[in-house]
Amino acid sequence: MKRIAVVNDLSGLGRCSLTAALPVLSVLGTECCPLPTAILSNQTGYDSFFCDDFTDRLDDYLAEWQKLGVRFDGILTGYLASEAQAKRIEAFLDAFQTPDTLFVCDPVMADDGRVYDTYDEALCAAVARLSKRANVITPNLSELSLLCGADYHALSETCTQGKGFSEIAALAKALLSETLHTVVITGVRHGDEISCVLVTREGETVVTGKRFGGSYSGTGDLFSAVLTGELVRGTNAETAVRKAVRFLEASIEESYRAGTNRNDGVNFQNHLEMLL
Ligand code: PXL
């Protein structure tokens, strides 16, 4: 069975990070091995939360994994708490990333053109370093702009009019390297639709779904988990992205109709069978 290390936090409420990755990767027939970065009572979008940062425990945790000689077919990283934590994750990659490992980095930093309050310049620089050693990255439009030094507002304006895809694809293409072979720009909104732009060495593909309501907690984590599980199993990138988009579309539609609070995440559980 393929084994995937997921570097992310465990949030009791919010259906995001590890509580999103675990069921998705399991349904996809892969073993999800959490490397927990923090334990939270609930994700940070709620008015208040308890957070136990796990950074200081990571070295001991990883020492045991090294003793066991464990190998991973895939590594997926998401939200990071601090630059110090990012440095430990880089050390984890130094020890566990091999030429046979697929490293998927969700370069979480920003949304709607705004860098998250908890992300300072040093942490954003660390995320950019992680992105450079990844094989696959899944930035949203704000994160793509940061990684490319592009103007988010101009880019988002062209997208709103539904004609910005070639511009986005050109930016993503410039990021491709010997290591980085796939960029998926997620959540590009235009009218009542939302698209993902997939850019590989072979070319670009736009996958579009219907948009329901605003943004919900955890959708990026569900997306990156589906993508990672499928790619590690050998599915081609376009099929993997289409599967992820359809799964998210169904989960978000159900949540929208049920009036689910955005902080509680989406009702993905009834749609896991789409991934079987
Ligand atoms: O997936 C988003 C996410 C993950 N982890 C934590 C968060 C959030 C979103 O706000 O707060 C702790």
Side-chain angles (χ1 to χ4, degrees):
M1 181 174 282
K2 301 287 188 188
R3 186 177 259 165
I4 300 172
V6 179
V7 182
N8 217 325
D9 65 79
L10 180 70
S11 287
L13 293 169
R15 286 184 280 193
C16 60
S17 30
L18 284 172
T19 61
L22 273 159
V24 165
L25 289 174
S26 300
V27 162
L28 288 173
T30 62
E31 181 185 353
C32 172
C33 306
L35 178 56
T37 53
I39 296 180
L40 295 94
S41 52
N42 46 272
Q43 57 94 354
T44 61
Y46 294 90
D47 289 341
S48 140
F49 58 89
F50 162 78
C51 176
D52 186 1
D53 187 328
F54 217 61
T55 306
D56 291 344
R57 262 66 61 84
L58 289 178
D59 288 349
D60 289 344
Y61 194 106
L62 289 169
E64 297 300 325
W65 275 9
Q66 273 188 298
K67 259 198 258 171
L68 291 166
V70 61
R71 290 179 171 277
F72 297 106
D73 302 289
I75 295 174
L76 169 61
T77 63
Y79 179 93
L80 298 174
S82 64
E83 191 209 8
Q85 184 167 86
K87 290 215 158 116
R88 282 197 167 75
I89 303 311
E90 288 180 278
F92 160 67
L93 289 168
D94 291 342
F96 289 90
Q97 185 182 13
T98 74
D100 299 326
T101 317
L102 183 83
F103 172 27
V104 181
C105 172
D106 184 4
V108 176
M109 287 186 280
D111 205 3
D112 292 325
R114 253 197 87 209
V115 175
Y116 295 127
D117 291 339
T118 52
Y119 275 64
D120 59 14
E121 229 169 89
L123 183 51
C124 289
V127 172
R129 283 199 303 277
L130 287 179
S131 297
K132 281 217 173 86
R133 59 193 287 179
N135 307 114
V136 180
I137 57 172
T138 58
N140 59 29
L141 210 48
S142 309
E143 291 151 357
L144 179 75
S145 306
L146 286 170
L147 291 174
C148 299
D151 178 3
Y152 167 78
H153 292 286
L155 210 54
S156 136
E157 188 58 32
T158 354
C159 290
T160 310
Q161 296 161 10
K163 54 184 185 189
F165 298 139
S166 55
E167 230 174 287
I168 298 173
L171 284 173
K173 210 171 161 192
L175 293 175
L176 296 181
S177 68
E178 217 164 284
T179 314
L180 180 66
H181 57 66
T182 304
V183 178
V184 187
I185 302 110
T186 58
V188 183
R189 296 186 288 263
H190 48 98
D192 56 4
E193 292 183 324
I194 185 156
S195 298
C196 284
V197 183
L198 165 68
V199 178
T200 66
R201 293 181 189 128
E202 284 75 49
E204 63 203 60
T205 312
V206 179
V207 181
T208 300
K210 273 187 268 169
R211 187 154 81 95
F212 299 94
S215 73
Y216 290 86
S217 160
T219 50
D221 302 322
L222 290 165
F223 185 91
S224 62
V226 176
L227 186 68
T228 305
E230 288 290 348
L231 292 177
V232 163
R233 282 179 5 155
T235 307
N236 73 60
E238 183 175 337
T239 306
V241 169
R242 288 191 189 285
K243 204 164 172 182
V245 167
R246 297 281 92 87
F247 172 62
L248 263 302
E249 186 180 49
S251 304
I252 295 170
E253 177 172 8
E254 187 195 315
S255 313
Y256 174 70
R257 297 200 190 286
T260 304
N261 183 310
R262 57 108 25 224
N263 282 326
D264 295 337
V266 294
N267 300 356
F268 67 84
Q269 289 87 346
N270 291 328
H271 307 282
L272 285 168
E273 64 186 27
M274 292 173 74
L275 303 179
L276 281 172

